[in-house]
Amino acid sequence: MEKQPQNKRRGLAPREVPPAVGLLLIMALMNTLLYLCLDHFFIAPRQSIVDPRHCPYGHFRIGQMKNCSPWLSCEELRTEVRQLKRVGEGAVKRVFLSEWKEHKVALSRLTSLEMKDDFLHGLQMLKSLQGAHVVTLLGYCEDDNTILTEYHPLGSLSNLEETLNLSKYQNVNTWQHRLQLAMDYVSIINYLHHSPMGTRVMCDSNDLPKTLSQYLLTSNFSILANDLDALPLVNHSSGTLVKCGHRELHGDFVAPEQLWPYGEDMPFRDNLMPSYDEKIDIWKIPDISSFLLGHIEGSDMVRFHLFDIHKACKSQTPSERPTAQDVLETYQKVLDTLRDAVMSQAREML
Ligand SMILES: Nc1ncnc2c1ncn2[C@@H]1O[C@H](COP(=O)(O)OP(=O)(O)OP(=O)(O)O)[C@@H](O)[C@H]1O
Ligand SMILES: *[C@@H]1O[C@H](CO)[C@@H](O)[C@H](O)[C@H]1NC(C)=O
Ligand SMILES: *[C@@H]1O[C@H](CO)[C@@H](O)[C@H](O)[C@H]1NC(C)=O
Ligand SMILES: *[C@@H]1O[C@H](CO)[C@@H](O)[C@H](O)[C@H]1NC(C)=O
């Protein structure tokens, strides 16, 4: 009789404790799993900035290629590349979907000899700025005025809405992926402002459609700079500033310092037009990011969180605008904050 309670306790204890511990363990496991799933679902793993597929200068690797190959020569471009169909045309280049070996490639041909300087500048930039932010160069032939690059079937960023509207891409049409695209875009601007060729300004961007057409959307839903035909150099230590073209610009997509400052009474004269710096790219970030965020569930919540940094980008005084690096850091913080909020909400629902 004296031993029974003890026995009972001993007998009960092993039975009572394991279910409780087990339940806790299962809950912990579910939380961890959920955490990992959410993380994976909301923020797809991205390529790191240090590209593991990086090739030495003058070489490339695309698709399933095991090794880096030297840029193709005129001879190779003429004999090994089969032109299929035209996929795009701008002021400088006519672009054809083409085939090289088993790869889909983009063959760009100069449209008119008048544009040769822009074409050569673009080629020089393409050669010098190869890396994770720029379309891969496969070869070129200055004698034939041709450039061969990797082909991206989703085309330019102008097609983003139509592409994300397709039912097969509904899973990436989320504010998380769209904010990630905006981060890609600002990363490219940041790269151009700190490039191996100095501070470069994306001049070919006097309106939103034009700006979007300079970038490609990859099948992995990241953004690459593609058209580098107008990237003049800013050098603050030597006082070198830029002007995007020789014509008068209008509208509020371009930065205020790009507008003719002397009023309507005085006709525009290029030599009187003041030059400016890379902060014109910062002015344009809110408009491009807003396009990238689109109008889906969550877009406006993200826009609300980006309000202050975007307001700073729109400072009338260029030097008061943040750097691309500042903008990128703020975007990252907003992404982290909103992701944590979504995850704690999801955990509460358990
Ligand atoms: N590698 C590629 N993969 C898929 N589409 C491409 C590729 N390169 C170019 N295109 C398409 O061709 C269009 C024109 O190309 P690109 O911008 O290089 O021409 P451009 O003459 O330099 O244009 P611009 O008038 O802006 O100077 C792009 O907007 C894009 O739609
Ligand atoms: C998206 O798809 C819907 C229905 O399929 C269509 O009504 C709408 O116009 C499309 N929008 C765009 C931008 O393509
Ligand atoms: C910028 O100008 C300084 C001073 O003239 C010069 O030393 C430097 O090399 C220039 N930088 C670039 C990227 O051209
Ligand atoms: C895109 O993703 C696929 C598979 O996830 C990968 O093999 C490929 O290298 C990626 N391409 C780029 C350009 O990142």
Side-chain angles (χ1 to χ4, degrees):
M1 286 297 277
E2 273 180 309
K3 277 179 184 174
Q4 242 182 337
Q6 265 185 334
N7 278 348
K8 256 185 193 161
R9 235 170 273 147
R10 251 184 264 144
L12 278 173
R15 248 180 249 158
E16 268 180 0
V17 174
V21 169
L23 213 78
L24 277 172
L25 270 172
I26 287 169
M27 277 172 68
L29 207 83
M30 275 172 71
N31 264 347
T32 315
L33 264 173
L34 187 77
Y35 215 96
L36 288 173
C37 286
L38 283 173
D39 214 33
H40 184 83
F41 181 72
F42 287 114
I43 312 298
R46 309 291 300 221
Q47 264 185 306
S48 59
I49 296 300
V50 182
D51 196 340
R53 298 173 47 78
H54 179 81
C55 290
Y57 182 82
H59 295 70
F60 71 95
R61 169 163 53 190
I62 56 167
Q64 303 301 311
M65 283 172 69
K66 283 218 171 59
N67 300 311
C68 296
S69 163
W71 286 333
L72 305 183
S73 63
C74 286
E75 182 60 22
E76 288 166 310
L77 287 183
R78 285 172 201 145
T79 58
E80 296 176 10
V81 176
R82 196 160 65 96
Q83 190 172 308
L84 298 176
K85 67 164 187 184
R86 199 174 83 175
V87 291
E89 179 163 349
V92 181
K93 285 163 273 159
R94 196 168 286 136
V95 185
F96 298 88
L97 165 64
S98 307
E99 241 172 17
W100 172 71
K101 308 224 161 135
E102 71 279 22
H103 302 284
K104 284 186 171 163
V105 294
L107 182 69
S108 299
R109 294 180 178 283
L110 175 64
T111 47
S112 139
L113 281 176
E114 287 164 46
M115 308 308 279
K116 179 119 184 185
D117 286 350
D118 297 80
F119 184 84
L120 290 178
H121 173 78
L123 174 57
Q124 183 53 51
M125 290 298 127
L126 207 50
K127 285 157 78 174
S128 310
L129 302 179
Q130 286 292 291
H133 295 296
V134 170
V135 71
T136 302
L137 177 66
L138 274 58
Y140 59 91
C141 179
E142 289 188 26
D143 292 341
D144 296 353
N145 299 314
T146 53
I147 295 177
L148 197 70
T149 53
E150 181 174 14
Y151 178 73
H152 293 279
L154 298 183
S156 97
L157 211 44
S158 324
N159 307 329
L160 182 71
E161 276 317 320
E162 290 84 337
T163 304
L164 287 178
N165 207 16
L166 300 175
S167 55
K168 62 173 167 177
Y169 294 125
Q170 283 311 297
N171 62 325
V172 284
N173 193 12
T174 61
W175 66 260
Q176 289 88 345
H177 280 97
R178 283 172 166 265
L179 178 54
Q180 188 68 61
L181 286 180
M183 292 181 61
D184 279 1
Y185 174 73
V186 178
S187 300
I188 293 173
I189 298 300
N190 188 39
Y191 174 68
L192 295 178
H193 290 182
H194 298 97
S195 93
M197 301 294 282
T199 299
R200 295 285 167 169
V201 183
M202 186 40 116
C203 263
D204 237 346
S205 51
N206 293 338
D207 56 55
L208 183 63
K210 187 76 183 169
T211 307
L212 297 172
S213 78
Q214 314 301 339
Y215 301 89
L216 295 171
L217 184 63
T218 72
S219 310
N220 296 359
F221 283 93
S222 60
I223 302 178
L224 294 177
N226 175 58
D227 183 356
L228 309 178
D229 296 346
L231 291 185
L233 175 72
V234 164
N235 189 340
H236 286 288
S237 39
S238 69
T240 309
L241 298 175
V242 305
K243 280 195 259 184
C244 294
H246 305 286
R247 290 201 208 108
E248 182 173 2
L249 299 176
H250 300 275
D252 54 12
F253 183 80
V254 296
E257 64 272 23
Q258 295 187 270
L259 303 174
W260 177 243
Y262 303 117
E264 280 173 17
D265 295 338
M266 192 162 154
F268 177 84
R269 281 200 12 226
D270 186 33
N271 59 331
L272 294 182
M273 176 67 204
S275 48
Y276 33 82
D277 68 8
E278 78 280 7
K279 288 297 176 80
I280 66 163
D281 288 334
I282 306 298
W283 170 273
K284 295 165 188 172
I285 287 176
D287 298 79
I288 292 138
S289 288
S290 187
F291 167 83
L292 295 174
L293 289 172
H295 299 281
I296 59 160
E297 198 183 330
S299 296
D300 284 337
M301 169 197 63
V302 178
R303 263 191 208 91
F304 174 77
H305 281 85
L306 299 180
F307 184 83
D308 288 338
I309 188 74
H310 282 175
K311 196 174 158 201
C313 293
K314 293 290 188 184
S315 297
Q316 291 293 313
T317 312
S319 61
E320 287 171 7
R321 292 174 206 150
T323 63
Q325 181 74 45
D326 297 333
V327 178
L328 195 55
E329 279 164 17
T330 304
Y331 280 21
Q332 184 66 58
K333 274 188 208 133
V334 167
L335 181 59
D336 292 345
T337 309
L338 292 177
R339 188 180 48 182
D340 288 350
V342 166
M343 279 198 280
S344 66
Q345 257 175 20
R347 274 199 297 274
E348 267 167 31
M349 288 195 298
L350 261 183

